[in-house]
Amino acid sequence: MKLRITIVLLLLMLGVQAQTDLVYKDLNISALCRNFVQWQQYQDTQMALYSNFEALDENGISISRLAFMQKLETGTFVCIADPGQPQQYRLFPMPKDANPGVGAILSELGFNGIRQVQMEGQDFPLLDAVDLSGKRITNESLKGNYVVIKCWYIHCPVCVKEFPEVNALVQEYSNLRKDVVFLSLAEDSPEQLKVFLAKKKLDYLVIPNTKDFMNITLGLNAFPTHFLLDKEGKIIKVVGSVDALKWVLQTYLRS
């Protein structure tokens, strides 16, 4: 008898859970957030927070991308792409039974996204440095070109892993147009970089000893970070991954 009562109670509990799950256009958001692997796959394939998406708050009201990132940083919201309008992202309250990892990652994405969005349209900070070949590079010397900047360091595995892909971008866009400069800022010393780059090829101009510039002046805390500057030295976009960089270059340099 007790077993039968227990089974009935469990079925009732499951029924209540099914009724209270958050569903948006046939997508069960609650179930998605309970399964971290499934949510990560959704995030990777359906969301591009680096793009110029249309941002909607939890009430479906249009807000700025900055406000969207600020809400995301709280860890109390999950973002979902509208199935009918893939570039429209909407916030929903984080389900109470969501995997804690979902909120943690979204909070980090929001934190980084705030800084990235805030930098758009700003002048790139004053730079006066010498690259590994001995060439002096300044903001003024870069004007008249689009500038792709990769911020990295030797002991960053992701930074190094993307070398083949960013090298391919150098080749592609150098052939496509003559007004693009690929520049990298590395925190390591010239001696360390020369030894390292003799084994790992990077087709960017490389400026050494830029740790303070990246961490303090640019305020970076995630690597790699990629910038695209316009011909006047203003920041068009700041992104974190090479896939995001590919989108940026495709969007702004192939128009």
Side-chain angles (χ1 to χ4, degrees):
M1 185 68 174
K2 289 183 179 180
L3 178 61
R4 185 176 178 180
I5 293 174
T6 301
I7 292 173
V8 171
L9 288 173
L10 285 172
L11 290 173
L12 287 172
M13 290 173 65
L14 289 172
V16 170
Q17 179 65 61
Q19 291 174 16
T20 57
D21 272 359
L22 179 61
V23 178
Y24 175 63
K25 296 188 176 181
D26 296 327
L27 176 65
N28 189 320
I29 298 174
S30 299
L32 180 67
C33 292
R34 285 194 291 268
N35 186 322
F36 182 80
V37 174
Q38 186 179 354
W39 171 81
Q40 185 71 70
Q41 183 179 24
Y42 175 86
Q43 182 75 20
D44 291 344
T45 58
Q46 303 299 319
M47 307 293 298
L49 291 175
Y50 50 79
S51 66
N52 299 323
F53 62 89
E54 179 186 359
L56 302 179
D57 69 7
E58 64 275 23
N59 298 310
I61 298 172
S62 181
I63 58 175
S64 69
R65 286 170 49 238
L66 177 59
F68 187 94
M69 294 299 182
Q70 289 169 333
K71 283 178 173 286
L72 205 59
E73 186 194 16
T74 66
T76 60
F77 293 97
V78 60
C79 50
I80 298 295
D82 188 317
Q85 301 183 63
Q87 286 303 302
Q88 185 183 88
Y89 300 167
R90 179 173 172 176
L91 294 171
F92 290 89
M94 182 69 68
K96 293 182 179 179
D97 60 349
N99 185 296
V102 174
I105 290 183
L106 286 172
S107 178
E108 183 179 1
L109 289 172
F111 176 81
N112 291 327
I114 289 170
R115 178 63 174 154
Q116 292 170 352
V117 172
Q118 287 176 330
M119 295 178 82
E120 292 176 9
Q122 301 297 311
D123 290 325
F124 191 76
L126 290 177
L127 177 67
D128 190 344
V130 177
D131 74 3
L132 287 180
S133 70
K135 180 180 179 181
R136 185 184 177 195
I137 296 175
T138 66
N139 301 69
E140 194 61 33
S141 71
L142 294 170
K143 280 192 175 181
N145 295 290
Y146 289 100
V147 184
V148 183
I149 300 176
K150 170 182 167 70
C151 298
W152 69 289
Y153 58 96
I154 286 174
H155 296 294
C156 167
V158 178
C159 300
V160 177
K161 183 179 179 181
E162 69 178 20
F163 275 15
E165 290 183 90
V166 297
N167 286 341
L169 291 174
V170 174
Q171 182 67 40
E172 178 182 352
Y173 285 90
S174 295
N175 291 335
L176 181 67
R177 51 195 308 164
K178 304 302 180 185
D179 58 351
V180 185
V181 173
F182 288 84
L183 175 68
S184 79
L185 307 179
E187 70 173 42
D188 314 280
S189 71
E191 294 75 21
Q192 292 171 315
L193 287 164
K194 287 177 181 177
V195 172
F196 184 80
L197 294 173
K199 301 175 183 178
K200 300 281 188 178
K201 181 185 177 186
L202 177 62
D203 291 335
Y204 282 54
L205 300 175
V206 181
I207 299 178
N209 293 328
T210 56
K211 182 175 182 178
D212 286 347
F213 183 83
M214 291 190 289
N215 292 346
I216 299 173
T217 305
L218 295 178
L220 301 183
N221 66 350
F223 295 87
T225 294
H226 303 273
F227 290 79
L228 176 63
L229 312 184
D230 69 14
K231 293 187 176 185
E232 295 301 316
K234 291 188 180 296
I235 298 170
I236 297 176
K237 274 287 184 180
V238 187
V239 297
S241 69
V242 67
D243 286 337
L245 177 61
K246 290 175 182 177
W247 176 87
V248 169
L249 299 184
Q250 176 73 29
T251 300
Y252 292 97
L253 299 187
R254 284 186 174 273
S255 57

